[in-house]
């Protein structure tokens, strides 16, 4: 492997030539908008049921959040509304390699939320009760037990919340592999293929207009990640959504001190398949202020109050980029989705410096291990930090799956199964009734249980 290639293991997901698809199909039973883990998993589950699916991705498969995340596959600490879907997701991850015949780097190394004080340990321990309700074997580890799992940490951790059955996977591998599995099951996967909008006939979906032509269909899933609010807004559907920039880095291969995902206020770290570590700051949520920040402010107040200690507001070009982006457009001309093929924010240098500092403080044995790659991703969040999965009543045939709020990678395969069930009108066995879009407009209290 050349030095250049070694530096771009993660970024290889969203670089390289963008080739236009040969031809879009004239018709499909279902058109999926978005080639992230949610879109491709749904396409895979639908295709396995014999449904004809065309998936349109404006850039690369996993080019945005799904290829840029930490790779944690965890049920630990989740909102109760997500837990059944996440439990199913873990079952799917465990069998994925055998089912699709490709390695996605999934392994169960456990998840550790470490506590720096007795008070913090007690607060973390509250989730053990939640876990018990769902039959999850989460428990509190003592400081000595934690030291046996995580070696050589130079901090005085008091213990940790621990779920042995949680795991991790490699984001640059997983979503492309599931997309290939969907293709083998009969789905058509189109990259460099932005969807500009939809057509309706007699009030319901009748076609999808892409930059490369029209696909006649009665059913559309919008799984457009950070673009969902803009896309849906152009159809008159209000989807409250804000973005948070996450900066991540990867070290060179190094000594194995842990085999799981470890979170501390200062650091999120997990072992990688290549022998290095994916690392990020434990307590920085950087929100670039945009016109949407003002539009949705009231709905996000509860989440902001919960996270106020760690939210950093930044004022920069994102405000003007969104300001200048049209909110409606003509479907026979290039749309905002063609203007930004890949949402590729720059990693924040100050956050990177903090990650390096915190890594060296907590794990001094890694102080001479170089960081070989860094990147950032725009996390999209819903007001209560859990996904929105719903069929839109005002536009029959139009469905939404978005708002995975910084933890959609792990739950992606389970979400795909649940969404495919919703679309096909079949019981997937996963209850998604609490994830409807209307919860933000019908006076229901907006109560985040977990954090981004
Ligand atoms: C830094 C970071 C760390 C994270 N860490 C974790 C973690 O450890 N564990 C975890 O579970 N989750 C994590 N997440 C969250 C997780 O990555 C996301 O929740 C998940 O990937 C969302 O998947 P998605 O398919 O909904 O969206 P995305 O992966 O963003 O995919 C949406 C796709 O839609 C495409 N698109 C948009 N509009 C159009 C259009 N009009 N036409 C065609 N295509 C379109 C986009 O190009 C994009 O590729 C993290 C996210 C980030 C950014």
């Amino acid at each position: 492997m050349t030095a250049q290639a070694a530096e771009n293991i993660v970024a290889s997901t969203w670089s390289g030539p963008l080739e236009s698809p040969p031809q879009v199909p004239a018709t499909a039973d279902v058109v999926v908008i978005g080639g992230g883990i949610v879109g491709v998993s749904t396409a895979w589950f639908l295709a396995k049921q014999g449904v004809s699916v065309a998936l349109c991705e404006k850039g690369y498969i996993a080019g945005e959040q799904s290829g840029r995340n930490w790779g944690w596959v965890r049920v630990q600490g989740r909102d109760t509304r997500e837990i059944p879907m996440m439990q199913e997701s873990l079952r799917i991850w465990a069998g994925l390699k055998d089912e699709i015949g490709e390695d996605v780097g999934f392994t169960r190394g456990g998840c550790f939320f470490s506590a720096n004080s007795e008070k913090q340990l007690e607060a973390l321990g509250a989730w053990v009760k939640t876990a018990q309700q769902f039959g999850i074997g989460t428990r509190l580890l003592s400081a000595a037990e934690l030291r046996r799992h995580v070696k050589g940490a130079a901090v005085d951790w008091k213990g940790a919340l621990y779920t042995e059955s949680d795991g991790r996977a490699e984001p640059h591998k997983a979503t492309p592999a599931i997309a290939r599995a969907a293709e083998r099951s009969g789905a058509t996967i189109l990259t460099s293929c932005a969807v500009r909008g939809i057509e309706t006939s007699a009030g319901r979906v009748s076609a999808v207009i892409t930059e490369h032509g029209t696909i006649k269909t009665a059913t559309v899933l919008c799984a457009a990640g950070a673009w969902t609010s803009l896309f849906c807004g152009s159809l008159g559907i209000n989807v409250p959504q804000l973005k948070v920039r996450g900066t991540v880095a990867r070290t060179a291969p190094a000594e194995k001190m842990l085999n799981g995902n470890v979170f501390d206020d200062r650091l999120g770290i997990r072992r990688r398949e290549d022998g290095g570590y994916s690392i990020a700051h434990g307590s920085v949520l950087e929100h670039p202020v945009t016109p949407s920040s003002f539009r949705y402010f009231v709905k996000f107040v509860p989440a902001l109050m919960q996270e106020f200690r760690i939210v950093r507001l930044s004022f920069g070009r994102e405000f003007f980029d969104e300001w200048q982006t049209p909110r409606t457009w003509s479907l026979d001309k290039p749309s905002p989705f063609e203007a930004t093929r890949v949402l590729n924010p720059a990693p924040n240098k100050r956050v990177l410096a903090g990650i390096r500092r915190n890594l060296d403080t907590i794990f001094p044995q890694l102080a001479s291990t170089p960081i070989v790659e860094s990147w950032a991703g725009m996390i999209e969040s819903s007001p209560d930090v859990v996904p929105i999965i719903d069929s839109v009543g005002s536009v029959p045939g139009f469905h939404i799956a978005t708002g995975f709020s910084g933890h959609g990678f792990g739950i992606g395969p389970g979400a795909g199964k649940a969404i495919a069930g919703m679309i096909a009108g079949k019981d997937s066995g996963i209850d998604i009734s609490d994830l409807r879009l209307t919860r933000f407009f019908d006076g229901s209290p907006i109560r985040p249980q977990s954090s981004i």
Side-chain angles (χ1 to χ4, degrees):
M1 197 189 291
T2 64
Q4 181 62 25
E7 277 166 21
N8 291 327
I9 291 179
V10 176
S12 63
T13 319
W14 60 88
S15 47
L18 269 164
E19 283 155 21
S20 294
Q23 203 169 16
V24 301
T27 63
D29 293 340
V30 179
V31 174
V32 175
I33 305 169
I37 194 155
V38 175
V40 302
S41 299
T42 306
W44 180 47
F45 276 100
L46 285 170
K48 285 198 289 180
Q49 293 169 26
V51 176
S52 87
V53 191
L55 180 147
C56 302
E57 164 54 52
K58 65 181 169 60
Y60 306 91
I61 296 298
E64 296 192 354
Q65 297 173 91
S66 297
R68 295 163 188 262
N69 59 71
W70 298 5
W72 293 32
V73 177
R74 62 162 177 94
V75 70
Q76 179 166 294
R78 283 193 183 248
D79 188 303
T80 46
R81 290 170 287 180
E82 293 185 316
I83 290 176
M85 192 155 75
M86 186 61 221
Q87 287 178 298
E88 181 57 26
S89 210
L90 272 162
R91 271 190 286 274
I92 298 167
W93 279 109
L96 203 52
K97 184 177 177 190
D98 287 344
E99 188 167 359
I100 68 176
E102 282 195 57
D103 174 42
V104 295
F106 178 75
T107 182
R108 289 190 202 261
C111 191
F112 305 78
F113 290 175
S114 308
N116 288 298
S117 66
E118 294 296 345
K119 197 173 158 209
Q120 202 180 11
L121 189 63
E122 197 187 322
L124 286 169
W127 204 81
V128 172
K129 238 189 209 156
T130 305
Q132 282 163 353
Q133 283 163 25
F134 289 89
I136 303 164
T138 301
R139 63 191 176 92
L140 279 182
L141 293 183
S142 67
E145 283 176 300
L146 179 57
R147 276 196 296 277
R148 280 199 287 279
H149 287 280
V150 183
K151 304 212 167 57
V155 281
D156 184 24
W157 282 328
K158 307 296 177 202
L161 185 71
Y162 172 55
T163 306
E164 188 179 3
S165 52
D166 278 350
R168 60 184 190 272
E170 297 300 336
H172 67 284
K173 284 182 162 182
T175 302
I178 300 170
R180 286 188 288 272
E183 239 170 353
R184 287 192 295 274
S185 301
T188 303
I189 304 287
L190 304 157
T191 53
S192 313
C193 186
V195 174
R196 293 176 177 165
I198 62 164
E199 271 179 2
T200 55
S201 157
R204 58 165 301 132
V205 171
S206 58
V208 157
I209 313 299
T210 81
E211 61 179 309
H212 298 296
T214 299
I215 308 173
K216 288 205 177 310
T217 186
T219 309
V220 171
L221 171 71
C222 181
W227 300 86
T228 308
S229 190
L230 179 67
F231 189 90
C232 291
S234 76
L235 308 176
I237 304 163
N238 190 359
V239 179
Q241 182 178 52
L242 290 182
K243 297 183 195 113
V244 169
R245 174 162 60 164
T247 292
V248 194
R250 168 175 82 78
T251 72
E255 156 191 1
K256 189 169 184 179
M257 318 101 46
L258 53 95
N259 183 37
N261 313 326
V262 178
F263 185 84
D264 163 278
D265 286 347
R266 292 155 290 178
L267 189 72
I269 180 168
R270 66 130 177 134
R271 182 85 178 158
R272 298 174 55 86
E273 201 180 38
D274 57 28
Y277 294 93
S278 280
I279 48 178
H281 204 291
S283 54
V284 174
L285 285 180
E286 196 195 336
H287 171 57
V289 175
T290 65
S292 291
S293 314
F294 299 97
R295 191 174 301 124
Y296 297 126
F297 176 76
V298 172
K299 296 205 185 299
F300 278 85
V301 166
L304 280 168
M305 283 170 66
Q306 182 175 282
E307 311 280 6
F308 78 99
R309 278 194 197 84
I310 59 172
V311 172
R312 309 262 192 289
L313 301 181
S314 66
F315 297 85
R317 49 171 278 226
E318 286 87 0
F319 186 93
F320 298 98
D321 285 350
E322 191 186 304
W323 183 264
Q324 285 163 353
T325 301
R327 295 176 59 75
T328 53
W329 46 86
S330 154
L331 300 188
D332 58 4
K333 298 204 176 65
S335 66
F337 311 109
E338 287 128 284
T340 305
R341 291 281 168 193
V342 181
L343 191 54
N344 187 19
N348 181 318
K349 288 194 179 127
R350 280 175 56 191
V351 175
L352 274 177
I355 295 172
R356 176 82 253 184
R357 221 174 21 250
N358 294 347
L359 179 71
D360 298 352
T361 306
I362 299 175
F363 295 109
Q365 66 273 50
L366 295 183
S368 57
T369 303
I371 286 177
V372 287
E373 191 175 4
S374 60
W375 64 93
M378 276 300 179
I379 298 168
E380 42 88 27
S381 181
S382 77
D384 59 2
V385 201
V386 287
I388 298 163
I389 299 179
D390 207 355
S391 306
V392 178
S394 59
V395 187
F398 190 76
H399 309 267
I400 298 175
T402 196
F404 285 80
S405 306
H407 38 268
F409 177 67
I411 209 170
K417 184 173 180 182
I419 299 159
M422 172 181 79
I423 289 175
K426 291 186 183 153
D427 182 11
S428 67
I430 304 167
D431 182 9
I432 51 171
S433 55
D434 283 340
L435 304 180
R436 65 197 197 288
L437 173 63
T438 46
R439 71 186 188 268
F440 300 120
F441 304 101
D442 63 6
S444 303
I446 297 176
R447 287 205 191 108
Q449 287 178 30
S450 66
S451 56
I452 288 169

